[in-house]
Amino acid sequence: MKYLFFSILFLLFTMGIHAQQKDQKPVRIRANEAEGAIIDSMKADILRGQVEIIYEHVTLHCDSAYNFKQANKVKAFGHVDIRQGDSIHITGDSLYYSPDDDLAQLQGHVTLQRQEMTLRTPFLTYYPDKKRGFYTDGGTLEQEDIRLQSVFGYYQETGHRARFKDRVFIEGSDFRLWADTLDYDLGKNRVHFYGPTVIESKESRIYCERGYYDLKEKSGRFYQNARMIDRGRMIRADTLSYRQEEGKGNATGHVFFSDTAEGITLFSGRAEYNNSQSRVFASDDPLILIHIDKDTFYVRADTLLSEGDSNGRELYAFPNVRLLRDNFSAVSADMHYSGRDSMLRLTGNPVAWIDSFQLTGDSIVLSFRQNKPYRLRVSPHALLASRENEGIYNQTKGRSMEGYFRHDTLRSMHFAGNAETIYYAEDDSGRFIGVNRLTCSSIHLRFAKGALQYIRFLTLPDGRFIPIQKVNASEMILEGFEWKGAEKVSFEEDFQILPFSFEKIERPLWSREEETPLPPVLPRN
């Protein structure tokens, strides 16, 4: 009984083999000449002249061929031409084909064509039934205006996809791409890359180590050390997206932006950028550094907008603005810095601190000349104050104020329009002896080494001196005054978190301009 079972099993197995072989054998063979011979210790038919061998799914043409009927293998030579339906067309100088193994190996000027795609390589291994193929000695793929080169390539008809590895280079009409490894979706014209990748166009250069790029739309998304240089501007983030035609994109996660020509450095959690308009819109705890000569303005706000042209850069910050520069700091609802007129404007309940002085007003405007602070204007409701002791404040106010700097330090302030002052007088030992409370049309203040040097009244003042014994400090407050020392900006509390640095993007070691962009193809035995 056991012998009968195994005999039936063996019979079914061999029948299956013969059936499979029968399905894979040539349906028709044609040639001008044919003769029998022994080749490689196997019986073969030598076919010459307009050879045609037709299989169920493959049609082969060539100048000559060895047809090993028993082994069901073919070696073809000269003008080898394989057609698989209406989609696949392969040519080469020679071919080894084993239908039972679903294996075709073509050598010498191999070309695979599918619709608008053409693949060229010196040696191609192809699996007709699976419609898959690969090369390992260098190849070139062309589709429409796209040209791709690589050392290794793998093509799969299902899904119309391909993978390329080792010194991958793609060139389009207006871009070039270098990669280590990438997958190419030929149907969607999109490449997904893995490993160091550089995309270069006329005005931009992108580096990343993972992401995708749409070759037709000229847009993509980039991850892992993603960064871009565009017309002197640099941007880096955890994730970058970019639309080349529009020059627009988004950045998220550890965003870094730098415009060295305009002296702008920006950090944020999220940003939108438009390179064609030189515009960056940043949110998620943004920080911007404005570099003016050797000085740096640090600015924080909920939202930052930077845009510029050939006339200069405009910077807008809003709301919750916090600003710091050396001995000058400020808070406000809105800030505007213009590179066109070199002015910094603060509005929305602005408060500024210069050395030990607090300055308030409806708007504060700081002007620069030759990259140095030159003039300070406050209007209306300008008010200057300094804290002399607990509950004791020197104050000066007016409808407007105009101050001037010299050698980067505050030298004078001029209050005009219903000017008032409350000033505590001291004796030689530094003890308070009374308060001068005066009004005047104009009051001039002079400063030296960050301290008030003297007060000058340009017209006869009206007021009185109050001895210290009769002073009620709570009444010595000008209208509109409020000490906001707790809001004063400091580097330690507002800007201590140092942003990450930006590494320079180096050009890839290999590019198409090199004399030999791919290694020489070694002949196979």
Side-chain angles (χ1 to χ4, degrees), residues 388-503:
E388 304 303 316
N389 209 327
E390 184 66 34
I392 297 177
Y393 305 95
N394 286 335
Q395 305 153 60
T396 305
K397 66 175 291 189
R399 188 183 309 116
S400 64
M401 186 281 294
E402 187 167 299
Y404 289 89
F405 294 82
R406 185 179 179 185
H407 302 308
D408 210 21
T409 59
L410 181 65
R411 294 306 305 270
S412 65
M413 282 187 177
H414 182 83
F415 288 83
N418 301 321
E420 299 179 61
T421 184
I422 293 177
Y423 182 76
Y424 282 80
E426 302 177 13
D427 61 16
D428 293 339
S429 64
R431 291 184 303 174
F432 295 117
I433 58 176
V435 175
N436 287 299
R437 183 159 191 168
L438 305 168
T439 60
C440 185
S441 60
S442 299
I443 298 177
H444 185 82
L445 281 65
R446 190 76 174 179
F447 300 87
K449 297 181 179 180
L452 180 62
Q453 190 175 21
Y454 62 80
I455 300 177
R456 178 187 297 169
F457 301 94
L458 302 186
T459 59
L460 185 64
D462 182 22
R464 61 196 178 100
F465 175 81
I466 307 171
I468 196 64
Q469 297 84 357
K470 297 182 179 181
V471 171
N472 184 346
S474 62
E475 296 178 355
M476 296 296 105
I477 301 296
L478 294 177
E479 183 181 356
F481 169 71
E482 181 183 357
W483 184 251
K484 298 185 178 182
E487 300 180 20
K488 188 175 181 180
V489 180
S490 69
F491 186 86
E492 291 73 16
E493 295 185 8
D494 297 282
F495 303 100
Q496 185 60 52
I497 301 176
L498 297 177
F500 52 86
S501 61
F502 180 84
E503 296 87 6

Side-chain angles (χ1 to χ4, degrees), residues 295 325 366-369 371-375 405 408:
D295 297 322
R325 174 201 175 268
L366 179 62
S367 301
F368 294 84
R369 178 179 290 180
N371 295 325
K372 295 292 185 182
Y374 164 67
R375 181 173 57 201
F405 294 82
D408 210 21

Side-chain angles (χ1 to χ4, degrees), residues 251-472:
T252 56
H254 300 94
V255 179
F256 172 94
F257 172 83
S258 175
D259 187 332
T260 53
E262 298 294 338
I264 299 291
T265 304
L266 183 146
F267 306 87
S268 70
R270 183 182 300 273
E272 300 174 9
Y273 53 93
N274 186 326
N275 288 330
S276 60
Q277 298 179 4
S278 185
R279 184 177 188 270
V280 179
F281 181 85
S283 57
D284 192 3
D285 193 26
L287 160 66
I288 194 164
L289 280 61
I290 308 171
H291 307 287
I292 302 176
D293 199 17
K294 296 181 181 180
D295 297 322
T296 300
F297 271 93
Y298 297 84
V299 182
R300 277 196 187 278
D302 293 354
T303 303
L304 292 172
L305 171 62
S306 174
E307 55 187 5
D309 55 24
S310 58
N311 295 319
R313 178 160 293 276
E314 303 292 309
L315 173 65
Y316 302 89
F318 53 91
N320 300 318
V321 178
R322 302 185 70 77
L323 178 150
L324 177 66
R325 174 201 175 268
D326 195 14
N327 64 340
F328 179 90
S329 63
V331 297
S332 66
D334 304 280
M335 188 205 81
H336 173 210
Y337 171 74
S338 174
R340 295 180 175 91
D341 57 16
S342 299
M343 287 188 180
L344 177 73
R345 299 171 173 87
L346 300 171
T347 57
N349 300 316
V351 183
W353 291 270
I354 305 174
D355 296 316
S356 61
F357 298 94
Q358 174 184 290
L359 184 62
T360 59
D362 289 10
S363 71
I364 299 176
V365 180
L366 179 62
S367 301
F368 294 84
R369 178 179 290 180
Q370 297 180 346
N371 295 325
K372 295 292 185 182
Y374 164 67
R375 181 173 57 201
L376 183 65
R377 287 178 173 174
V378 182
S379 67
H381 308 116
L383 198 156
L384 179 74
S386 61
R387 184 177 181 275
E388 304 303 316
N389 209 327
E390 184 66 34
I392 297 177
Y393 305 95
N394 286 335
Q395 305 153 60
T396 305
K397 66 175 291 189
R399 188 183 309 116
S400 64
M401 186 281 294
E402 187 167 299
Y404 289 89
F405 294 82
R406 185 179 179 185
H407 302 308
D408 210 21
T409 59
L410 181 65
R411 294 306 305 270
S412 65
M413 282 187 177
H414 182 83
F415 288 83
N418 301 321
E420 299 179 61
T421 184
I422 293 177
Y423 182 76
Y424 282 80
E426 302 177 13
D427 61 16
D428 293 339
S429 64
R431 291 184 303 174
F432 295 117
I433 58 176
V435 175
N436 287 299
R437 183 159 191 168
L438 305 168
T439 60
C440 185
S441 60
S442 299
I443 298 177
H444 185 82
L445 281 65
R446 190 76 174 179
F447 300 87
K449 297 181 179 180
L452 180 62
Q453 190 175 21
Y454 62 80
I455 300 177
R456 178 187 297 169
F457 301 94
L458 302 186
T459 59
L460 185 64
D462 182 22
R464 61 196 178 100
F465 175 81
I466 307 171
I468 196 64
Q469 297 84 357
K470 297 182 179 181
V471 171
N472 184 346

